[in-house]
């Protein structure tokens, strides 16, 4: 059931009911995205760190405090209150918000490239860390590069928490995977940039193949909480995730990528409980799913994809087996 959307108060209307627990979650996500500690927020507001933590745990917040918080965190009152749509310019903030929402979700419909991080192998986060460091622009100043590295470390912590919770609770996930995107994934390899030494590039291609074969194993075994569908058609250019739980029905749109040549620095993500947005994306997901290749047939196609790659002649970035 979609939670009631809070509205802004006016001088001649009674103060509306606000979901303070949800507000606290968003406050924490925006704070992390802004690179601020609780002490930083407390100092700016003239309160104690304990007060900030209580607000993030769902304590009632005064409207004038919310206005100051929104300005401090670089967002709007509407986004902080979760009025229809929340906007995130920080991948770290988005990943934290995803973690919060996934913890209360029973069903997840996902389209991420090459596949939802929740379904990757235990080794994937290590590869992702390498890719993110490799992708840092060489023109960054030392202080900015250090700040980026610290942000990457915090992202990986949040992503690890998301994976850990998924393995513990096992909400049902339906993952749509574009076959064309997978082909590009295995041809490129798990790299943050393409100008790597040939031997290293070949290792990263093999790592990508390993992830595809893991996906094939999932499709073969068909665990009760995982469904994967291969779509041999053009996929939506923006990745998205639909999350349903007892208290929410939410759509998440993300420009950030965690596959080959990842992007965690440029883009604006959104989270919305708009019934129309949720309904349209659910309808599109069901349409794509109905035409998708599933189960053992899908697993066979993935293994064929890897086999074709292994039979390709060496290139400038792959050494011969």
């Amino acid at each position: 059931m979609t939670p009631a959307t809070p509205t802004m108060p006016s001088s001649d209307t009674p103060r509306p009911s606000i979901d303070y627990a949800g507000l606290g979650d968003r406050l924490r996500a925006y704070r992390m995205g802004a690179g601020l500690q609780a002490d930083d927020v407390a100092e700016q507001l003239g309160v104690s760190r304990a007060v900030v933590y209580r607000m993030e745990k769902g304590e009632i917040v005064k409207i004038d405090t919310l206005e100051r918080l929104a300005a401090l965190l670089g967002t709007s009152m509407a986004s902080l209150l979760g009025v229809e749509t929340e906007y995130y310019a920080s991948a770290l903030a988005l990943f934290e918000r995803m973690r919060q929402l996934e913890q209360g979700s029973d069903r997840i419909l996902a389209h991420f490239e090459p596949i939802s991080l929740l379904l990757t192998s235990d080794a994937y986060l290590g590869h992702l860390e390498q890719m993110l460091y490799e992708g840092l622009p060489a023109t960054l100043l030392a202080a900015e590069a250090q700040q980026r590295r610290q942000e990457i470390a915090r992202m990986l912590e949040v992503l690890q928490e998301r994976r850990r919770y998924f393995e513990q609770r096992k909400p049902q996930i339906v993952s749509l995977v574009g076959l064309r995107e997978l082909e590009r994934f295995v041809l490129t390899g798990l790299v943050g940039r393409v100008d790597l030494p040939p031997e290293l590039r070949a290792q990263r291609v093999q790592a990508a193949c390993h992830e595809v074969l893991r996906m094939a194993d999932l499709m073969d075994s068909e665990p009760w909480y995982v469904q994967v569908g291969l779509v041999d058609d053009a996929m939506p250019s923006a990745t998205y995730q639909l999350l349903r739980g007892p208290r929410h029905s939410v759509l998440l749109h993300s420009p950030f990528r965690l596959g080959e040549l990842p992007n965690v620095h440029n883009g604006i993500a959104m989270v919305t409980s708009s019934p129309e947005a949720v309904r349209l994306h659910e309808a599109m997901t069901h349409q794509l799913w109905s035409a998708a290749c599933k189960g053992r047939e899908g697993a066979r196609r993935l293994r064929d994809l890897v086999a074709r790659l292994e039979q390709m002649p060496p290139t400038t970035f792959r050494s011969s087996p």
Side-chain angles (χ1 to χ4, degrees):
M1 178 178 179
T2 304
T5 301
T7 55
M8 295 296 296
S10 64
S11 58
D12 55 353
T13 58
R15 180 171 175 163
S17 174
I18 296 175
D19 176 8
Y20 286 100
L23 172 60
D25 285 343
R26 287 185 289 272
L27 172 57
R28 173 179 167 82
Y30 280 118
R31 174 176 65 77
M32 291 176 65
L36 298 175
Q37 302 294 322
D39 286 335
D40 301 322
V41 176
E43 182 179 354
Q44 291 292 324
L45 296 181
V47 300
S48 69
R49 178 177 59 181
V51 168
V52 176
Y53 284 136
R54 289 201 297 269
M55 287 190 293
E56 292 185 358
K57 290 182 178 179
E59 187 175 276
I60 293 176
V61 186
K62 295 180 180 179
I63 292 297
D64 61 337
T65 303
L66 283 179
E67 292 173 343
R68 295 169 64 195
L69 278 168
L72 174 62
L73 300 176
T75 187
S76 67
M77 281 278 283
S79 287
L80 201 54
L81 287 168
V83 180
E84 286 285 316
T85 303
E86 309 158 31
Y87 295 98
Y88 294 92
S90 160
L92 174 58
L94 176 71
F95 297 154
E96 168 62 17
R97 190 69 178 115
M98 291 176 73
R99 183 194 66 79
Q100 297 164 359
L101 290 166
E102 286 168 353
Q103 286 192 355
S105 298
D106 300 318
R107 181 175 171 81
I108 300 171
L109 305 180
H111 162 50
F112 278 91
E113 295 181 10
I115 192 172
S116 171
L117 180 82
L118 301 177
L119 301 181
T120 54
S121 74
D122 292 338
Y124 195 82
L125 283 181
H127 292 303
L128 177 60
E129 181 177 17
Q130 292 175 314
M131 289 189 286
L132 292 175
Y133 287 140
E134 287 169 356
L136 290 174
T139 54
L140 291 178
L141 298 176
E144 188 177 0
Q146 179 62 22
Q147 182 179 358
R148 289 274 190 101
R149 292 189 182 95
Q150 292 173 350
E151 186 178 16
I152 289 171
R154 298 198 70 191
M155 284 182 199
L156 292 169
E157 290 175 0
V158 174
L159 295 175
Q160 183 61 60
E161 287 183 27
R162 287 180 56 207
R163 284 176 49 84
R164 187 182 304 116
Y165 180 80
F166 177 75
E167 288 299 323
Q168 290 173 351
R169 189 168 180 270
K170 293 181 171 56
Q172 184 185 26
I173 182 169
V174 176
S175 181
L176 288 173
V177 182
L179 196 57
R180 300 174 190 177
E181 285 76 10
L182 273 185
E183 291 173 347
R184 184 183 66 223
F185 176 65
V186 294
L187 285 169
T188 306
L190 296 180
V191 298
R193 64 176 197 269
V194 295
D195 58 338
L196 297 177
E199 289 187 4
L200 179 57
R201 183 74 182 274
Q203 293 172 11
R204 301 296 185 80
V205 168
Q206 288 302 313
C209 290
H210 173 76
E211 294 298 328
V212 174
L213 292 175
R214 169 184 165 81
M215 199 184 311
D217 291 341
L218 280 173
M219 298 186 77
D220 246 344
S221 60
E222 295 186 300
W224 64 268
Y225 62 99
V226 174
Q227 293 177 283
V228 179
L230 297 179
V231 180
D232 191 6
D233 198 355
M235 294 293 285
S237 56
T239 57
Y240 66 90
Q241 188 160 291
L242 287 158
L243 304 109
R244 283 198 177 274
R247 299 180 56 190
H248 65 250
S249 180
V250 175
L251 168 69
L252 181 150
H253 251 273
S254 173
F256 304 115
R257 299 185 68 253
L258 299 180
E260 80 288 0
L261 302 174
N263 164 39
V264 293
H265 295 297
N266 299 307
I268 308 296
M270 74 170 194
V271 177
T272 180
S273 58
S274 164
E276 182 178 14
V278 170
R279 176 181 59 81
L280 289 172
H281 281 77
E282 278 191 335
M284 177 177 65
T285 301
H286 290 314
Q287 180 179 357
L288 290 169
W289 178 259
S290 65
C293 188
K294 313 170 188 73
R296 293 182 177 177
E297 175 59 23
R300 183 191 63 78
R301 294 193 68 173
L302 291 183
R303 294 190 177 103
D304 287 347
L305 171 63
V306 173
R308 289 199 309 272
L309 177 64
E310 294 292 343
Q311 293 169 5
M312 290 175 60
T315 68
T316 57
F317 59 83
R318 290 185 68 221
S319 56
S320 54

